[in-house]
Amino acid sequence: MSANTTARPVRRRTLRIAVAALTAAAGLTLTACSGSDVADTEPAGQSDTGMAVESSGPGSSTKGQGSGAQADSGAEADTKAGASAKKSGGPNAAGSGGAGSGVDRCHTSGLKAAFATGEDAAPDANAGGSTTTSVVLTNKGSRTCKIGGFPGVDLKSENGGERWSLARSSAKHGSITLGPGDSTDFTINVALTKEDKGFYQPAFADITPPNETKSITIKWPWGTLVDQRGATHPATFVNPIG
């Protein structure tokens, strides 16, 4: 009796230890399954960082801080580089704030036009073929402006009934900045003639600055032109400003 009585508690204790061991093993199995599920869902976060998110721990914490430190150092480098560029280039560095930036184009209302009539500017009436005359444009306003390209030139008769819109040359052009009172010019190739037939006699010239719709009318100071209003390549044509 005493031997059997003693054996039962031992057997029960052994069973309890076995049950506890099985319970612990089941818990570990569940934990492992749970960990694999988390790992399967992590790649969804790759769109934010470009790499899979690691589980938390001392190693991952250090890596996270390291990547952030690199980003911060890159931003600091960019900031320092920008500051250095500003110091070396001044306010106009990289052309973003140049002297010409923000300068409006020259408008018709702010310009004055006139034919250059000095001895050197007068076209040679005896030239065989084409000669040139110059039109001076002056900034009569109080603000700096920019001008460039081809002006429009329309010659017209005394009564305005016969007009000739001059063709443009193929010359390249840039732009010029005019301060108050500054001037620039453009030339007109003209084919003058002394013949009493086949000629065109202008009385005025309407000068339209580039990108403008209003014109400045000035008096034509020269003689008659060969009438080539219907020609494909007339000898009278406009050149760009500057």
Side-chain angles (χ1 to χ4, degrees):
M1 290 293 292
S2 60
N4 292 337
T5 304
T6 304
R8 286 177 182 173
V10 172
R11 185 177 301 171
R12 289 176 181 174
R13 186 178 303 165
T14 302
L15 290 174
R16 288 175 183 174
I17 292 173
V19 171
L22 290 173
T23 303
L28 289 174
T29 303
L30 290 174
T31 302
C33 293
S34 176
S36 64
D37 291 342
V38 173
D40 290 340
T41 60
E42 292 298 345
Q46 289 184 0
S47 61
D48 295 333
T49 62
M51 59 186 293
V53 180
E54 298 183 9
S55 60
S56 61
S60 63
S61 176
T62 303
K63 289 182 180 180
Q65 292 176 0
S67 62
Q70 290 177 359
D72 291 340
S73 63
E76 289 176 3
D78 292 341
T79 302
K80 290 179 180 178
S84 176
K86 287 183 179 180
K87 289 181 180 179
S88 62
N92 297 333
S96 60
S101 64
V103 177
D104 193 12
R105 74 171 188 269
C106 297
H107 297 284
T108 304
S109 59
L111 293 171
K112 179 175 64 175
F115 278 102
T117 56
E119 290 185 5
D120 295 338
D124 184 3
N126 298 316
S130 181
T131 183
T132 61
T133 180
S134 297
V135 177
V136 178
L137 297 172
T138 303
N139 180 4
K140 66 177 184 179
S142 59
R143 295 184 178 181
T144 299
C145 64
K146 184 179 293 186
I147 191 168
F150 285 89
V153 177
D154 291 278
L155 304 179
K156 57 185 182 182
S157 59
E158 186 68 39
N159 60 9
E162 297 184 30
R163 298 180 68 89
W164 185 357
S165 296
L166 299 187
R168 299 173 177 178
S169 72
S170 58
K172 295 182 179 180
H173 59 82
S175 61
I176 298 174
T177 300
L178 299 179
D182 289 346
S183 298
T184 186
D185 68 343
F186 65 91
T187 60
I188 303 174
N189 280 55
V190 292
L192 295 173
T193 182
K194 294 182 179 179
E195 299 292 332
D196 57 359
K197 60 180 180 181
F199 66 90
Y200 176 82
Q201 178 60 63
F204 303 98
D206 286 342
I207 310 298
T208 307
N211 302 309
E212 292 289 296
T213 56
K214 295 182 179 180
S215 60
I216 305 169
T217 300
I218 56 178
K219 190 173 181 179
W220 176 261
W222 317 121
T224 57
L225 300 173
V226 179
D227 190 355
Q228 294 180 317
R229 284 177 287 175
T232 304
H233 300 289
T236 299
F237 55 85
V238 179
N239 296 299
I241 291 173

